[in-house]
Amino acid sequence: GAVVSQHPSWVICKSGTSVKIECRSLDFQATTMFWYRQFPKQSLMLMATSNEGSKATYEQGVEKDKFLINHASLTLSTLTVTSAHPEDSSFYICSARQFTGTGYTFGSGTRLTVV
Amino acid sequence: AQSVTQLGSHVSVSEGALVLLRCNYSSSVPPYLFWYVQYPNQGLQLLLKYTSAATLVKGINGFEAEFKKSETSFHLTKPSAHMRDAAEYFCAVSDRRETSGSRLTFGEGTQLTVNP
């Protein structure tokens, strides 16, 4: 079945530094990648949607300059949290979708802790 | 606009008992409906999905859900709970556009606890 590999699974960084999270579709072409943020005991909040080769579309209230999304190929999308602060600490999850079909494949998530 | 409401943020059952997790949806177009399970510090795993074929959908791990248009519901059930079923469950809806940009809208989640 479709697999999305997300790395790292957890990361601790110092306040003010940047962190990059990668999601790779291993056996299919991910035309669209969704990036979510999840706070403890809460649901997934969609941050942005990216299509291969295009700029990402950000949800209202999500800072574009802080959460940089790149989707340069059909198998790789990255989320960079720039100048991270403790309030950016969260669980980040990607989800990929193929051009056709109804499937959404989720990565295993990244636990980001900013100290 | 689409939305999903999961009734009950916490459900507790005994091992071997029936599991019933409730989900109601709102959609202006015929929806696709999904149930996902999430274990701590992990991504989401698809349990089952409704895409307009049979209204009773069977999924993995013994779960099933029935699409009831008249009730706008898509409740998740399992006849007999196992300890390993303890997790967070999310109901989600997407519109029926076949384009890849069609997004999922999630419910708030239901934490299932299984007591020995």
Side-chain angles (χ1 to χ4, degrees):
Chain A
V3 175
V4 171
S5 176
Q6 183 171 347
H7 292 279
S9 55
W10 60 270
V11 58
I12 301 173
C13 70
K14 291 185 177 180
S15 187
T17 62
S18 296
V19 173
K20 180 183 284 188
I21 300 169
E22 289 190 353
C23 277
R24 293 180 182 272
S25 57
L26 299 186
D27 49 5
F28 67 100
Q29 294 182 330
T31 307
T32 302
M33 192 73 77
F34 303 90
W35 287 93
Y36 296 89
R37 181 174 183 177
Q38 186 180 31
F39 291 103
K41 306 298 183 183
Q42 294 188 26
S43 188
L44 282 72
M45 180 190 77
L46 181 64
M47 299 174 64
T49 302
S50 70
N51 293 301
E52 183 265 337
S54 303
K55 289 185 177 180
T57 301
Y58 290 80
E59 296 298 302
Q60 190 172 7
V62 177
E63 298 179 58
K64 301 179 182 180
D65 295 333
K66 183 164 194 60
F67 299 100
L68 300 180
I69 290 172
N70 184 281
H71 193 170
S73 78
L74 286 171
T75 58
L76 174 65
S77 179
T78 61
L79 166 67
T80 302
V81 183
T82 62
S83 187
H85 291 282
E87 57 266 29
D88 299 325
S89 298
S90 191
F91 193 60
Y92 294 87
I93 306 175
C94 65
S95 175
R97 191 176 185 197
Q98 301 181 62
F99 181 70
T100 58
T102 58
Y104 299 82
T105 304
F106 286 82
S108 56
T110 297
R111 173 72 60 191
L112 170 63
T113 302
V114 185
V115 297
Chain B
Q2 298 171 293
S3 66
V4 167
T5 302
Q6 290 183 241
L7 302 176
S9 58
H10 291 85
V11 170
S12 182
V13 301
S14 298
E15 190 174 17
L18 172 71
V19 175
L20 171 60
L21 304 182
R22 300 177 186 274
C23 172
N24 287 89
Y25 70 92
S26 174
S27 178
S28 57
V29 298
Y32 287 151
L33 292 160
F34 305 77
W35 274 100
Y36 288 91
V37 61
Q38 184 181 34
Y39 296 97
N41 292 311
Q42 293 187 27
L44 274 64
Q45 180 183 10
L46 179 67
L47 287 175
L48 50 80
K49 60 185 179 184
Y50 167 75
T51 59
S52 81
T55 55
L56 181 61
V57 182
K58 294 187 182 297
I60 62 172
N61 302 337
F63 285 95
E64 63 181 37
E66 186 172 7
F67 172 71
K68 292 186 176 181
K69 183 179 179 180
S70 61
E71 299 177 8
T72 61
S73 69
F74 191 58
H75 301 329
L76 182 71
T77 61
K78 181 174 180 177
S80 177
H82 292 274
M83 296 296 291
R84 61 176 178 266
D85 295 327
E88 186 83 18
Y89 290 80
F90 292 98
C91 182
V93 61
S94 74
D95 63 36
R96 285 190 166 207
R97 289 183 297 155
E98 288 297 331
T99 59
S100 59
S102 180
R103 66 177 61 183
L104 284 174
T105 301
F106 287 91
E108 292 302 311
T110 298
Q111 178 68 46
L112 175 65
T113 301
V114 181
N115 302 307

